[in-house]
Amino acid sequence: MKVSDHKNAQLIEEAKATLINNDLGGYTVPTHGLYPFQWNWDSAIVALGWLPFDEPRAWEETTSLLSAQWQTGMVPHVVFHQQSDTYFPGPDIWGVKNELDSTSITQPPVLASVIKILYEETKDRALADSQIKTIIPQLIHSHLWWYKHRDPENTGLVVSYHPWESGMDNSPAWDDALEAVPCIDWEYTRRDTSHIDASERPHKKEYDRFLYLVDFFRKMNFDDTLIYQDCPYRVNDVSIISILHRATKDLLWLCEKTGVDNEQTEYLKERLNLTASAMNKLWCAKTNMFHSFDTRSNSLCQARTSAGLLPFFAGLVNEQQATPLISVLDNWLEHSQFAISSTHPEDPNYEPQRYWRGPIWLHVNWMIMLGLKDYGFSTQAERITDGSRACIYASGFNESFHAETGARSGGADFSWTAAMGLYWLLPNQTEKE
């Protein structure tokens, strides 16, 4: 899609304005109203958007998120810095009593990979060096928590306890696993459908189960051991596993550059090897894709989703898997000039506009693109880049995009989409592709 220099310049300014307008003083909300707090992987991605025009603010985004880190090492998926009545469930439902109110679950740990980029690309070296000294111990604490608390049996594959932890909240990959979760027995009023048409949001039957799990965590007093044993939803999420693996490699790179070498870094290296040896469990020869694994039913989550491409980002695709997986991707990309839908268009669960069941998400595309480039699949990486840029050109900085038309899906004026525009997709950023 040909776009004038004037239009590109206008979009760059609109992207900057989106971040500035969503900045609540040290942290950036995804969008006002629908998501009025600080979200974990949103903030990590958003830091990349601040980087090209406000380096101190990029670092502040990450340190603000880490300020809510639990003593266990977990970085929560939402931080409730201030009150808002436009979102449900809020801190009263979660029941967490920390210095900063938060949820009791986490999200994909892409933060270390973002910190590596900040450290490499920040022009103010004094700022980078001062920030990294504090951040590296916090990142190590977080990654140790993942491996020790979310994989206590040393299988090599960490587990997730809630679809919200995946960030891909309503993915059809979770449908069967959620069926084992009871519905809650109390009434509630959702807030999301007052901001977004219900046809784009999860159904009530999913939300009932989402809230049952929130109740369950509180009843277990947030005890990781009890939750691991008894949680009715326990999934080896291929997206989390892949993002964690890449992030641990990036964290170890940071440790090497800054002279951190100890028992903790040796342990992290061992965990990388353990995950690499366990990944075949998530490969399906029938679909030629990676899938998440429901540890309760001992079965693969069958839906074909973009999460199954993230092992490229992690470097976890072996030689025998790469060619058939690329064939799947080539077929996927033939369905639309926009790319890439979050569920394969030929999957029976595909819905091009319903939350995570089809719409396009640019930050996921960015990770897949990086992985493809690492493997030398430059044609596919360029196609995803072009398809992602086409979304912005078609309808601006939305939460996600209709998989077939590129129209708005989800919230408008969305921070992580603006960040991907500034860092990755708009002119003068192409050297980062």
Side-chain angles (χ1 to χ4, degrees), residues 114 221 228 250 268 284 306 388:
V114 168
N221 200 29
Y228 182 82
D250 290 339
L268 292 177
C284 178
S306 57
S388 300

Side-chain angles (χ1 to χ4, degrees), residues 97-333:
K97 301 300 180 186
N98 285 346
E99 185 175 339
L100 280 175
D101 288 338
S102 74
T103 61
S104 66
I105 57 175
T106 188
Q107 272 192 321
V110 70
L111 184 60
S113 294
V114 168
I115 295 294
K116 177 179 183 285
I117 292 171
L118 297 189
Y119 187 72
E120 286 184 293
E121 298 183 10
T122 298
K123 295 179 176 65
D124 187 340
R125 297 316 307 166
L127 174 63
D129 290 340
S130 66
Q131 294 285 347
I132 207 69
K133 291 178 182 177
T134 302
I135 289 174
I136 283 181
Q138 293 174 296
L139 291 176
I140 290 174
H141 195 25
S142 169
H143 284 234
L144 292 176
W145 172 84
W146 269 108
Y147 291 122
K148 293 182 177 181
H149 290 257
R150 291 305 185 89
D151 185 23
E153 298 180 65
N154 294 317
T155 67
L157 303 173
V158 298
V159 295
S160 167
Y161 298 139
H162 198 297
W164 289 344
E165 289 200 309
S166 71
M168 304 178 181
D169 304 11
N170 198 40
S171 170
W174 321 134
D175 288 357
D176 290 343
L178 270 178
E179 287 294 326
V181 178
C183 293
I184 57 167
D185 57 3
W186 48 275
E187 295 296 321
Y188 61 93
T189 301
R190 290 170 62 171
R191 300 285 189 269
D192 58 324
T193 50
S194 67
H195 302 285
I196 301 295
D197 191 281
S199 66
E200 298 180 27
R201 300 297 296 174
H203 294 290
K204 184 178 186 300
K205 63 184 178 67
E206 280 101 24
Y207 234 85
D208 285 351
R209 290 172 166 87
F210 294 161
L211 293 173
Y212 178 91
L213 291 169
V214 173
D215 273 352
F216 171 79
F217 304 140
R218 189 178 63 248
K219 289 173 181 175
M220 294 296 102
N221 200 29
F222 316 117
D223 185 304
D224 282 331
T225 300
L226 295 177
I227 294 171
Y228 182 82
Q229 291 172 352
D230 298 331
C231 188
Y233 178 97
R234 197 177 73 189
V235 172
N236 297 134
D237 178 352
V238 68
S239 59
I240 287 177
I241 289 164
S242 298
I243 291 168
L244 174 62
H245 194 78
R246 169 75 173 240
T248 299
K249 290 193 286 187
D250 290 339
L251 175 54
L252 288 169
W253 181 92
L254 286 165
C255 289
E256 182 180 352
K257 290 294 182 182
T258 56
V260 178
D261 183 13
N262 53 37
E263 290 182 0
Q264 293 177 327
T265 57
E266 288 304 311
Y267 173 79
L268 292 177
K269 292 174 186 176
E270 293 171 6
R271 292 300 312 212
L272 288 177
N273 292 331
L274 192 58
T275 297
S277 67
M279 276 300 288
N280 275 341
K281 181 179 180 181
L282 306 184
W283 176 257
C284 178
K286 181 180 178 181
T287 62
N288 285 324
M289 282 196 70
F290 289 94
H291 297 258
S292 296
F293 187 88
D294 180 356
T295 69
R296 289 306 189 194
S297 66
N298 201 35
S299 61
L300 287 172
C301 305
Q302 288 298 320
R304 290 169 286 170
T305 74
S306 57
L309 299 168
L310 283 169
F312 278 126
F313 180 64
L316 287 169
V317 183
N318 67 33
E319 291 182 11
Q320 291 72 37
Q321 296 159 345
T323 298
L325 186 53
I326 281 294
S327 294
V328 170
L329 175 58
D330 286 340
N331 169 263
W332 207 321
L333 291 169

Side-chain angles (χ1 to χ4, degrees), residues 323-394:
T323 298
L325 186 53
I326 281 294
S327 294
V328 170
L329 175 58
D330 286 340
N331 169 263
W332 207 321
L333 291 169
E334 289 175 1
H335 285 79
S336 174
Q337 68 174 9
F338 305 97
I340 178 175
S341 60
S342 47
T343 300
H344 195 294
E346 296 174 4
D347 191 278
N349 299 288
Y350 169 71
E351 296 181 70
Q353 196 164 4
R354 190 180 295 277
Y355 196 53
W356 284 107
R357 302 179 82 85
I360 296 162
W361 304 77
L362 300 194
H363 66 297
V364 175
N365 288 0
W366 170 71
M367 289 185 275
I368 294 170
M369 179 277 300
L370 288 178
L372 292 170
K373 288 182 72 68
D374 288 344
Y375 275 81
F377 295 115
S378 57
T379 299
Q380 289 83 0
E382 183 177 352
R383 172 67 182 83
I384 288 177
T385 300
D386 291 343
S388 300
R389 189 179 288 120
C391 291
I392 291 177
Y393 287 162

